Amino acid sequence: MSGLDSLLRRRPPTVWDNFKSNPLLFLAQQVYAWSQLTASVTSTRGVQVVCISDTHSSHYSQPTLPTGDILIHSGDLTHTGSLNELRDALDWLSSHSHPVKIFVAGNHDAALADPETRQHILSTYPSLTYLENSSTEVTIRGRALRIYGSPYTPKHGSWQFQYPRVSPRFYARDQVGHRATEIWSSIPPLTDILVTHGPPFSHLDLSGTGCYALLAAIWRVRPRLHVFGHIHAARGIECLAWNEAQALYEEIYAGITGWGGLARLIWRVAVEKLRERVWGRDGDRGRTILVNAAAVGGVRDEERKGAIVAVV
């Protein structure tokens, strides 16, 4: 197993492992988790988005996909990246009855990195929409949704669709000349659904393997839904409120602030909880649902986890 595969497929550390590794971060994660909101994943109201990622040629052994309005695959459809694997995966994806089917590539999907091969393949599947640093607009029951997708992730090994990783300590959101800034500044400001292969830094990324430049970009765009995968053991759902507590948590995660930041985080979360108890929640307006939809898990990717449904 390669170094990247070992990273992506490792089992989640235990609670004790996390505490021993970084007590400050562990405590910050517990406080931030207490502040978390419940994402809309079971409601029948709104647009039903079926999210799946990182099937790695296991598509036919995955649980049956739920019905929904939009089906999104956020990359790593294949295991070795061969053309035959890609065709097989796209045959499976296109066979579903969802009115809208969208996908991006992942670092394993080497066949999609060649422009001629990509054009030939995609012309074979007219029911699928492939996004590579590009957008599409769909209409579901009279509601228009703008969807942007990108396959790119921070560099680790010699894979496809990668760029140099940025350091949270030294990265500026308006930094010019960095490939990560170039890629993520292209996300349109009115994007409703963002599809990337990898996660943003500090959210569903397992120990900081996500991209800090992508995190900066979603602070700017604040889509209703962000779908990704890449880090198999970080599968899950999170809801971002774009408030001071979230910003403090991210600074602690990045090592920008320390124990003083934790004290401020505890205070902000306590204030927010008190405000909710007295005046109630503001609702989901302005919030973002994050979905890490990695569909395989376990030490050898032997687990089949299926899709996650989010409502926007």
Side-chain angles (χ1 to χ4, degrees):
M1 186 180 292
S2 71
L4 179 60
D5 285 345
S6 297
L7 174 67
L8 300 184
R9 302 172 187 175
R10 61 181 170 172
R11 285 192 181 277
T14 65
V15 172
W16 180 239
D17 288 337
N18 283 328
F19 180 78
K20 286 192 303 180
S21 173
N22 191 328
L24 170 63
L25 180 57
F26 175 82
L27 294 174
Q29 288 171 327
Q30 304 312 302
V31 174
Y32 181 67
W34 182 47
S35 75
Q36 274 290 286
L37 304 164
T38 302
S40 299
V41 294
T42 58
S43 171
T44 56
R45 300 176 59 187
V47 175
Q48 306 271 328
V49 184
V50 179
C51 312
I52 194 165
S53 184
D54 295 81
T55 45
H56 290 287
S57 297
S58 71
H59 37 273
Y60 287 118
S61 62
Q62 290 286 336
T64 301
L65 293 183
T67 58
D69 301 302
I70 302 174
L71 171 58
I72 292 177
H73 196 301
S74 56
D76 277 0
L77 299 99
T78 66
H79 182 64
T80 67
S82 72
L83 186 55
N84 285 338
E85 279 190 346
L86 180 63
R87 284 183 174 136
D88 193 57
L90 295 182
D91 283 344
W92 169 80
L93 194 64
S94 65
S95 71
H96 290 87
S97 61
H98 303 75
V100 176
K101 295 181 280 288
I102 292 170
F103 73 104
V104 300
N107 54 290
H108 276 256
D109 300 325
L112 287 168
D114 177 70
E116 290 187 8
T117 301
R118 180 171 64 241
Q119 186 60 37
H120 172 71
I121 281 291
L122 297 180
S123 65
T124 309
Y125 300 95
S127 68
L128 302 180
T129 298
Y130 173 70
L131 298 178
E132 185 176 318
N133 299 333
S134 57
S135 295
T136 188
E137 184 170 310
V138 302
T139 301
I140 304 294
R141 294 187 295 278
R143 181 180 172 192
L145 292 169
R146 294 163 291 260
I147 305 173
Y148 183 90
S150 175
Y152 282 86
T153 53
K155 185 172 178 58
H156 191 111
S158 299
W159 298 88
Q160 301 297 325
F161 305 108
Q162 296 192 117
Y163 55 85
R165 180 177 292 276
V166 301
S167 169
R169 286 177 172 269
F170 304 108
Y171 180 75
R173 299 188 181 194
D174 57 353
Q175 187 172 345
V176 178
H178 201 291
R179 179 63 173 150
T181 304
E182 178 185 337
I183 291 171
W184 301 125
S185 64
S186 299
I187 304 173
L190 297 179
T191 296
D192 297 299
I193 300 175
L194 176 63
V195 185
T196 63
H197 180 53
F201 179 83
S202 72
H203 298 284
L204 302 176
D205 71 335
L206 195 66
S207 305
T209 53
C211 179
Y212 194 75
L214 176 56
L215 174 63
I218 63 172
W219 265 96
R220 170 180 61 85
V221 177
R222 304 187 186 187
R224 294 292 305 275
L225 173 65
H226 182 189
V227 185
F228 51 88
H230 194 44
I231 309 301
H232 301 175
R235 173 185 166 95
I237 304 165
E238 188 177 332
C239 190
L240 303 184
W242 307 113
N243 55 21
E244 187 178 349
Q246 178 188 327
L248 283 166
Y249 167 71
E250 291 164 356
E251 289 180 0
I252 295 169
Y253 208 108
I256 295 171
T257 189
W259 291 98
L262 177 62
R264 294 194 300 275
L265 175 61
I266 293 171
W267 169 250
R268 288 310 312 168
V269 170
V271 169
E272 285 296 317
K273 287 295 182 181
L274 179 61
R275 185 191 62 78
E276 287 180 14
R277 179 177 289 272
V278 175
W279 288 290
R281 275 186 51 184
D282 293 334
D284 292 332
R285 186 175 181 83
R287 307 183 192 277
T288 296
I289 300 171
L290 303 184
V291 177
N292 181 331
V296 295
V299 175
R300 300 183 182 277
D301 285 349
E302 72 279 5
E303 299 172 5
R304 302 291 180 261
K305 297 177 178 290
I308 295 173
V309 180
V311 180
V312 295

